[in-house]
Amino acid sequence: MDVKNAIKYMVLSTLAFACMNATVKYLKNIDTYQIVFFRSLSSLFFTFGFLLKNKIPIIGKNNKLLILRSITGASSMLLFFMSVKYLSIGTAVALRYSAPIFAAIFAVILLRERIRPVQWLFFIISFVGIIVLKGLDTSINTTGLILVLIAAVLSGLVYIIINKIGKSEHPAVIVNYFMVTATVLGGVLSIKNWITPSGTDWFFLFSLGVFGYFGQINMTKAFQIASTNIVAPLKYVEVVFTATIGVLIFSEVYTLYSLLGIALIIGGLILNVWYKSRVKL
């Protein structure tokens, strides 16, 4: 187990994702459908290249589940990007990370999995964070909150679908299906809403896929060389990086209630990861 390198890879991953989030915020004058289109299209260069280089079949076996995962994931990404237009990026990312709460609910209902009472306590802590954000922080936009929570629900459903797919599909095949679907969805919806990007906007649009790809690659490397209980909590550093970028570049302001709400959301989720790593469920 190489803890030092795992931490390095995870920090690089969260930084890449934070840069992607900030880029979405920067492109506020570009239609969200276009952002989804370019983010996915630029990632396809990496996924298709990997599949072709390693001679991995592109189609896959579980086509229905792969398509369902792709549609659900693409919809979640679209709604999250929309929410960034209304919320500070750190808050949006923290709320998106509430997905494991919904994944646990889906797991109980659809997979008949067992969730221990203490885990529900941790999820309640995170949910209280959401209530604090909306109930006490008057700066939180209701439209943005609804969009990002629906995105989190769909993201939670994605976890369940991937669990059903299991190891029968190569991870690159799953990601490639997702990117193809998101490219088509974003492209079709962009037709009537097209805004011609400026010179610099083109660069930032295509950088979305690069940031997303390198974030995913470094995260995968981290999980491959160290235990989950060490690596998984580090992914929430993305919230810190993203919020910092929001303050420094976009002059975003986080109230005391915002910080408290974000801390409760992330704290509850980290506690759940820590607990699962020590108890066989």
Side-chain angles (χ1 to χ4, degrees), residues 3 18 29-30 42 54 57 64 66 78 83 88 94 115 131 167 182 184 188 206 220 224 230 239 253 265 270 272 278:
V3 175
N29 295 322
I30 301 296
S42 51
N54 294 279
K64 290 182 179 179
L66 285 168
L78 173 62
S83 74
S88 59
I115 305 295
I131 295 174
K167 297 182 179 179
V184 173
V188 171
F206 281 106
T220 301
Q224 286 176 331
I230 293 174
V239 178
V253 177
I265 293 170
I270 290 176
N272 183 59
R278 284 164 170 72

Side-chain angles (χ1 to χ4, degrees), residues 96-230:
R96 184 191 64 183
Y97 271 133
S98 63
I101 301 174
F102 303 108
I105 295 172
F106 286 131
V108 171
I109 297 173
L110 301 177
L111 303 180
R112 305 298 180 186
E113 288 188 3
R114 180 187 177 191
I115 305 295
R116 294 177 182 268
V118 68
Q119 287 182 274
W120 289 117
L121 174 61
F122 297 149
F123 288 142
I124 289 172
I125 291 173
S126 295
F127 190 73
V128 168
I130 297 174
I131 295 174
V132 168
L133 277 174
K134 180 53 189 167
L136 299 179
D137 189 348
T138 56
S139 67
I140 297 296
N141 181 279
T142 301
T143 300
L145 178 66
I146 292 172
L147 287 171
V148 76
L149 287 180
I150 296 175
V153 170
L154 292 174
S155 185
L157 186 57
V158 166
Y159 296 161
I160 302 303
I161 298 171
I162 292 177
N163 182 276
K164 292 290 290 184
I165 294 174
K167 297 182 179 179
S168 62
E169 301 287 357
H170 192 284
V173 174
I174 300 175
V175 173
N176 194 61
Y177 260 82
F178 173 33
M179 291 297 102
V180 169
T181 302
T183 300
V184 173
L185 176 66
V188 171
L189 293 176
S190 293
I191 294 174
K192 291 186 177 181
N193 302 279
W194 184 266
I195 298 172
T196 302
S198 67
T200 55
D201 286 345
W202 283 110
F203 169 78
F204 285 109
L205 282 167
F206 281 106
S207 73
L208 289 168
V210 178
F211 286 135
Y213 175 77
F214 281 101
Q216 192 69 44
I217 286 294
N218 281 291
M219 182 175 68
T220 301
K221 288 181 179 179
F223 277 103
Q224 286 176 331
I225 62 176
S227 59
T228 301
N229 66 307
I230 293 174

Side-chain angles (χ1 to χ4, degrees), residues 265-277:
I265 293 170
I266 301 305
L269 295 173
I270 290 176
L271 284 171
N272 183 59
V273 171
W274 170 81
Y275 180 79
K276 286 199 300 182
S277 70

